[in-house]
Amino acid sequence: QVQLVESGGGLVQPGESLRLSCTASTDDFSVGAMGWYRQVPGKERELVAQVSREGAEDVEDFVKGRFTISRDKDRNIIYLQMNSLTSADTAVYYCKALVWETLRGWKSYWGQGTQVTVSS
């Protein structure tokens, strides 16, 4: 069984910061790349940032310089540090993990999502 638990969302004012975290719990399965996506109503879910199992980080251009992704490899936790938030960052943020399952190969799992609202 694989479970992703996110935390850290909330309501902040423009210019403020938030840090999201996501913990992947598995039954002795190997966790590969993990990432953060976001979605607003009426739009497709979009990739924000991802980090490989080895720790290689990739942040999308539209948040580069403001958002940072990091990973605790030993505990399968990723973080998304979000600075200088604007109203355009308001969305539900989802964690995704690739998990290697015996006989099934790589499978994608999603967290339940955490709401980030940036408003004055």
Side-chain angles (χ1 to χ4, degrees), residues 53 62 120:
R53 183 168 50 181
F62 58 83
S120 56

Side-chain angles (χ1 to χ4, degrees), residues 1-26:
Q1 186 176 358
V2 178
Q3 195 172 24
L4 300 182
V5 178
E6 302 137 334
S7 63
L11 171 64
V12 296
Q13 295 189 346
E16 294 186 339
S17 300
L18 275 177
R19 189 175 84 151
L20 307 181
S21 64
C22 171
T23 301
S25 300
T26 71

Side-chain angles (χ1 to χ4, degrees), residues 6-11 18 20-21 35-49 62-63 67 80 82 85-96 110-118:
E6 302 137 334
S7 63
L11 171 64
L18 275 177
L20 307 181
S21 64
W36 289 99
Y37 290 70
R38 69 185 186 186
Q39 189 171 25
V40 297
K43 290 191 175 182
E44 291 188 358
R45 194 171 297 186
E46 63 180 359
L47 174 66
V48 176
F62 58 83
V63 295
F67 290 14
L80 185 67
M82 305 185 293
L85 287 161
T86 74
S87 58
D89 297 314
T90 296
V92 177
Y93 284 72
Y94 295 91
C95 175
K96 177 184 174 181
W110 292 90
Q112 80 283 0
T114 184
Q115 177 70 47
V116 171
T117 303
V118 184

Side-chain angles (χ1 to χ4, degrees), residues 68-118:
T68 303
I69 189 169
S70 59
R71 178 168 185 164
D72 182 335
K73 291 180 284 185
D74 293 334
R75 296 190 292 165
N76 288 325
I77 302 174
I78 62 170
Y79 304 94
L80 185 67
Q81 178 66 41
M82 305 185 293
N83 299 327
S84 303
L85 287 161
T86 74
S87 58
D89 297 314
T90 296
V92 177
Y93 284 72
Y94 295 91
C95 175
K96 177 184 174 181
L98 289 176
V99 178
W100 177 264
E101 299 183 359
T102 305
L103 301 179
R104 298 180 66 190
W106 290 107
K107 295 294 181 182
S108 294
Y109 289 87
W110 292 90
Q112 80 283 0
T114 184
Q115 177 70 47
V116 171
T117 303
V118 184

